[in-house]
Amino acid sequence: MTGFVTPRPGPGLSSEALALREVHRAIAELRRGGPVLVEGEGQPLAVAAAETVGAAGLAQLRAVGTQPPLLLLAPVRAAAVLSRPVPLSAPEQGVAALRLPPSLMDPQRLAAFADPTAEMLMPAGTERAPVPGLAEVALTLAKLGRLLPALVAVPAAGAEAGWQRVSADFIRAYPETATTTLRRVAEARVPLEDAPDTRIVAFRAADGGIEHLAMLVGDPEGRLSAGGAPLARLHSECFTGDLLGSLRCDCGPQLHGALRRMAEDGAGVLLYLAQEGRGIGLVNKLRAYALQDGGLDTLDANRALGYGADERNFLLAGTMLRALGIPRVRLLTNNPDKLAGLAACGIEVTAREAHSFGGNGVNDGYLATKARRFGHML
């Protein structure tokens, strides 16, 4: 491959920051419709997001490909577009590769794969293909960009200068690296209706991506110095529930209820994590809602889009609590995964405080699914 020199860390730029920026730039390229070259073990893989790629990007893929283009999908999504089961062999893990006929090498046809309700998009007789190396890590890159994990891909012989390249190792390490480089970047007193004595601390990772917030209510430091533990809640952002008052979930009541309890208790920390829709992002959450309207529950809807049941990273919370000097908490939660996640990060959970709210007639099925399929202690 020619025309590309790996940048070296400059003054003030760590190797971790360099790795994060490489992934961040690759995500940006996919989101704007351009192709990306994933490099690692074996032959490089050129990929573009099905929902954003344009004619120019498809032409670039054809120019570097050594084989006809493929469509990479999660197996559940592949089953939907083929209208038949897609069994996997062990080496394939979480990827299905389908041969893309020439009739589908069109931006508008490919964008249809982002329609969650669309089925049988592939022509009858579409064949599966061997899954190329780096396919799974390429789908991980799409997920990091909160794009639908549906990629047009070709094993590549080489690429001209100007291609955005990204290391497979950097992609794999991205969630942990981004978390461990979180730093406090701003702090201010922000009186809230539910908790007038509140300070908000903003955290940002070295890639300059979206910020996470900590809301410090009352005097959590004083509670710790007295030998106690402040109330804490890990709250994933929910635009529809927190801001708009959506009845489809219980996020709004959980957010405001937690702040009120902390204010009444005199101490607490609420971590507002930028992990909308259990980590799939707002756009994909709306797509999941469309699937739920068709009869799927929240877990199966996420899977039908190609995502896991829960894509969140609770290492974020442990890193933020350590940076705030809060080594132990009483956790407001019904989710056993949050208890396990904090414990794995070395944060002591001295008690679990139940934090549930009754159904409203719209979200009753959603709450039942959380209890039955996610194991929430409601």
Side-chain angles (χ1 to χ4, degrees):
M1 298 182 186
T2 61
F4 178 78
V5 177
T6 302
R8 298 184 182 277
L13 185 65
S14 67
S15 58
E16 291 84 2
L18 181 69
L20 289 173
R21 292 183 186 188
E22 184 174 301
V23 176
H24 199 63
R25 288 167 179 160
I27 288 170
E29 189 65 22
L30 287 181
R31 289 180 66 88
R32 70 169 62 99
V36 168
L37 197 68
V38 180
E39 299 176 313
E41 316 82 36
Q43 190 172 14
L45 189 67
V47 299
E51 66 175 292
T52 61
V53 67
L58 292 174
Q60 287 179 278
L61 290 177
R62 292 191 191 96
V64 301
T66 60
Q67 301 173 20
L70 304 172
L71 183 68
L72 304 180
L73 297 168
V76 175
R77 185 61 181 151
V81 303
L82 290 171
S83 292
R84 67 174 186 266
V86 178
L88 291 180
S89 59
E92 293 174 323
Q93 299 180 13
V95 186
L98 308 178
R99 300 190 191 281
L100 264 176
S103 62
L104 283 184
M105 286 297 285
D106 171 80
Q108 290 186 335
R109 297 289 302 278
L110 289 169
F113 286 97
D115 178 358
T117 63
E119 296 184 357
M120 199 60 185
L121 295 171
M122 302 295 282
T126 296
E127 298 179 357
R128 292 180 61 186
V131 176
L134 304 176
E136 188 170 17
V137 73
L139 282 185
T140 297
L141 181 66
K143 289 182 179 182
L144 290 173
R146 296 184 173 181
L147 293 162
L148 194 75
L151 295 174
V152 183
V154 291
E160 298 300 324
W163 271 71
Q164 183 64 54
R165 291 166 160 83
V166 60
S167 162
D169 287 341
F170 289 175
I171 297 171
R172 295 186 185 103
Y174 183 88
E176 182 175 350
T177 305
T179 299
T180 55
T181 61
L182 279 175
R183 299 291 182 268
R184 297 170 67 153
V185 294
E187 179 175 350
R189 182 175 176 273
V190 183
L192 305 177
E193 183 177 357
D194 297 308
D197 184 12
T198 297
R199 293 166 287 150
I200 297 183
V201 180
F203 287 80
R204 182 186 294 151
D207 66 346
I210 193 166
E211 290 83 10
H212 306 274
L213 305 175
M215 304 178 191
L216 300 172
V217 178
D219 186 17
E221 297 92 342
R223 183 65 54 85
L224 286 164
S225 62
L231 288 170
R233 170 151 181 83
L234 317 185
H235 189 90
S236 298
E237 69 178 0
C238 177
F239 171 79
T240 49
D242 297 341
L243 185 61
L244 303 181
S246 168
L247 299 178
R248 296 188 73 132
C249 64
D250 59 345
C251 299
Q254 286 196 343
L255 171 64
H256 296 287
L259 290 170
R260 286 193 296 270
R261 285 189 63 177
M262 292 173 185
E264 292 165 0
D265 194 65
V269 55
L270 188 144
L271 303 184
Y272 197 77
L273 307 174
Q275 301 188 82
E276 179 91 37
R278 295 195 183 93
I280 68 174
L282 178 58
V283 170
N284 287 313
K285 185 175 81 170
L286 295 177
R287 290 168 173 161
Y289 280 170
L291 289 171
Q292 290 171 40
D293 289 341
L296 298 183
D297 65 24
T298 182
L299 187 152
D300 286 335
N302 279 19
R303 286 178 172 169
L305 291 175
Y307 281 89
D310 193 332
E311 296 276 352
R312 289 177 292 183
N313 171 18
F314 293 123
L315 179 59
L316 285 167
T319 302
M320 292 169 70
L321 287 172
R322 283 196 299 272
L324 293 166
I326 300 177
R328 60 183 181 276
V329 297
R330 291 179 291 134
L331 192 62
L332 285 164
T333 190
N334 308 306
N335 186 348
D337 289 344
K338 291 182 180 180
L339 296 169
L342 280 190
C345 298
I347 301 297
E348 180 185 359
V349 180
T350 64
R352 181 188 79 86
E353 303 282 346
H355 192 58
S356 60
F357 298 83
N360 56 33
V362 176
N363 67 5
D364 296 4
Y366 166 80
L367 295 176
T369 297
K370 287 172 73 172
R372 185 180 72 256
R373 304 198 67 190
F374 288 94
H376 286 204
M377 297 169 281
L378 299 179

